[in-house]
Amino acid sequence: MLYLITGASGSGKSEYAEDVACYLARRDGMRYKLYVATMEAKSEEAQERIARHKRQRQGKGFVTVESLYGLAFSFPGEEKAPFRLPCLPQDCVILLECLSNLLANLMFSDKRSGGQATEAILSQVRQRQRLCRHLVIVTNEVFSDGMLYTGEVLEYVRALGTLNRLLAEEADGFLEVVYSVPLWLKGDRIWQF
Amino acid sequence: MELIIGGCFQGKLAYAKQRWKEAGTRVREEEILDGGSMVLCETAKWCGARSTEKDSFACVRILNQLHLLVRRFVETGKTQEIIPLMDQLLADWPDLLIVCDEVGLGLIPVEETERLYREAVGRTLCHLARQARQMVRITGGFPLVIRSADDAQLPS
């Protein structure tokens, strides 16, 4: 199943998404919770943010995979990808944190266009059955600041909006976390915690 | 306490006054605290005018523009004092209606203070939402209930 979780900055969406991943793993008796971290520790501020996220998920039993370009994993026996999953897909829930970083990495570090980056992410997500039983993706609401962006920033915002729409359409559950409270936009309220 | 959030100029304060009216109370202007201009004493603990003008300030019913209050703390490097202040306010006025602009729905700003401000508003709202009897988002004057007391989905 695919779950997409969005929200404003500081809305508590990351913490909520972690709880969702833990709930799914517990409910379905899955052994591995993979936390795919996409933030580059470029600045002191980024390092602090990463440290805060680490503290937040401490004790929740996640295996952290630092993967700036997303879900490029392989299974035992395959050597192509930098990270090999420790288990079979049915034993694994993956939390991707977060789509807005992943897109920025692909566009600004890996120098792909918005369209190419969108395609790359969609194709990764669409191969999820090969990787995991549940995929939880955290994304970002960056569309209401009233700013008129141009150039590559505009391209980025458009690409993230497109991704959110396409992934929400494919998702089994889509919700906005409004200051720690889930607002369901699609799917049944399957969990309660 | 109830939380009223949304974009700017959406009728959040009018909605707050309406809520009080439904409860049989007409809110007087002096019963509204404004986050941008309310008095803060040195220790950053709320003192308002309550201690000095007790009679005219006997009751606070609405805290308006919480985002501006958060901004004042962030700009003076006292971000960590916001939550204790809110707790103190709520201990004094448990029926407070808190009105706040949503400011975190955009790209991460280049300027550090702006980033910290948006983050702090979000964190403060998370803290308040957990204990709010109701949280609504106002759009064009209309409330969308995001959380209500009878909601089965109450977070812990």
Side-chain angles (χ1 to χ4, degrees):
Chain A
M1 300 289 224
L2 175 66
Y3 299 100
L4 186 65
I5 295 176
T6 191
S9 67
S11 62
K13 58 185 183 291
S14 307
E15 194 176 355
Y16 187 85
E18 288 164 16
D19 293 344
V20 168
C22 290
Y23 164 84
L24 293 170
R26 199 168 55 237
R27 188 193 66 183
D28 296 345
M30 290 143 74
R31 279 192 299 162
Y32 287 94
K33 288 175 290 205
L34 243 58
Y35 185 100
V36 180
T38 56
M39 193 183 286
E40 251 182 301
K42 278 189 292 198
S43 62
E44 205 175 302
E45 198 177 320
Q47 286 163 13
E48 270 172 35
R49 209 177 162 78
I50 290 168
R52 188 173 66 76
H53 275 194
K54 278 185 181 163
R55 279 199 303 278
Q56 186 179 285
R57 66 176 184 272
Q58 218 168 30
K60 292 185 183 174
F62 283 99
V63 176
T64 301
V65 185
E66 282 174 32
S67 181
L68 300 185
Y69 302 124
L71 307 171
F73 308 142
S74 66
F75 285 95
E78 304 173 348
E79 293 300 332
K80 274 183 284 178
F83 183 82
R84 279 191 298 154
L85 292 170
C87 60
L88 293 171
Q90 59 264 33
D91 252 351
C92 186
V93 52
I94 293 180
L95 171 56
L96 175 64
E97 164 71 59
C98 63
L99 197 64
S100 42
N101 271 333
L102 174 58
L103 179 65
N105 294 344
L106 288 169
M107 286 182 67
F108 305 129
S109 301
D110 207 35
K111 304 288 174 207
R112 302 194 203 197
S113 71
Q116 289 166 339
T118 304
E119 277 310 310
I121 291 170
L122 282 176
S123 108
Q124 286 181 5
V125 172
R126 283 172 182 157
Q127 287 182 44
R128 66 185 176 277
Q129 275 91 347
R130 211 177 70 81
L131 295 171
C132 59
R133 182 152 161 204
H134 297 303
L135 175 60
V136 180
I137 301 177
V138 178
T139 184
N140 221 312
E141 284 304 299
V142 302
F143 313 104
S144 309
D145 57 7
M147 301 286 287
L148 299 172
Y149 295 108
T150 55
E152 59 180 10
V153 181
L154 176 66
E155 196 178 329
Y156 171 84
V157 175
R158 180 181 289 141
L160 190 60
T162 306
L163 275 170
N164 281 359
R165 281 195 297 118
L166 295 174
L167 292 177
E169 199 175 317
E170 289 187 24
D172 300 284
F174 174 41
L175 51 92
E176 178 187 352
V177 177
V178 185
Y179 310 110
S180 80
V181 181
L183 176 66
W184 284 79
L185 299 164
K186 180 186 179 183
D188 297 324
R189 297 175 169 216
I190 56 163
W191 52 73
Q192 200 174 321
F193 42 75
Chain B
M1 180 265 290
E2 294 182 14
L3 208 46
I4 298 157
I5 60 170
C8 53
F9 309 117
Q10 297 299 308
K12 299 188 294 300
L13 179 59
Y15 176 82
K17 289 178 179 169
Q18 182 62 30
R19 284 291 284 177
W20 272 113
K21 205 171 159 191
E22 284 163 13
T25 303
R26 184 175 288 276
V27 178
R28 293 179 297 149
E29 285 308 306
E30 60 268 26
E31 293 171 341
I32 303 172
L33 277 181
D34 188 284
S37 58
M38 64 189 269
V39 180
L40 297 168
C41 60
E42 276 300 299
T43 57
K45 284 188 175 161
W46 176 76
C47 55
R50 191 173 56 148
S51 51
T52 49
E53 300 168 53
K54 205 169 179 177
D55 293 338
S56 67
F57 217 83
C59 186
V60 181
R61 299 192 191 275
I62 296 171
L63 168 58
N64 194 25
Q65 313 232 70
L66 170 65
H67 59 289
L68 294 183
L69 180 65
V70 172
R71 188 167 187 105
R72 288 163 71 190
F73 279 83
V74 171
E75 282 176 346
T76 50
K78 293 177 181 168
T79 307
Q80 72 287 356
E81 292 177 25
I82 299 165
I83 302 265
L85 171 72
M86 297 316 298
D87 289 344
Q88 195 192 344
L89 262 176
L90 288 174
D92 286 347
W93 314 110
D95 292 326
L96 197 61
L97 301 191
I98 300 179
V99 177
C100 187
D101 278 13
E102 287 193 83
V103 297
L105 293 159
L107 286 186
I108 298 170
V110 179
E111 233 236 286
E112 191 187 11
T113 308
E114 296 296 329
R115 288 198 295 274
L116 295 175
Y117 162 58
R118 288 161 32 121
E119 184 75 19
V121 171
R123 297 292 160 208
T124 308
L125 287 176
C126 283
H127 178 78
L128 295 171
R130 288 193 189 100
Q131 45 187 316
R133 190 166 55 204
Q134 178 176 278
M135 170 162 61
V136 298
R137 176 183 272 163
I138 307 291
T139 306
F142 280 79
L144 170 69
V145 177
I146 290 170
R147 180 186 168 178
S148 66
D150 50 17
D151 196 334
Q153 281 269 303
L154 295 186
S156 54

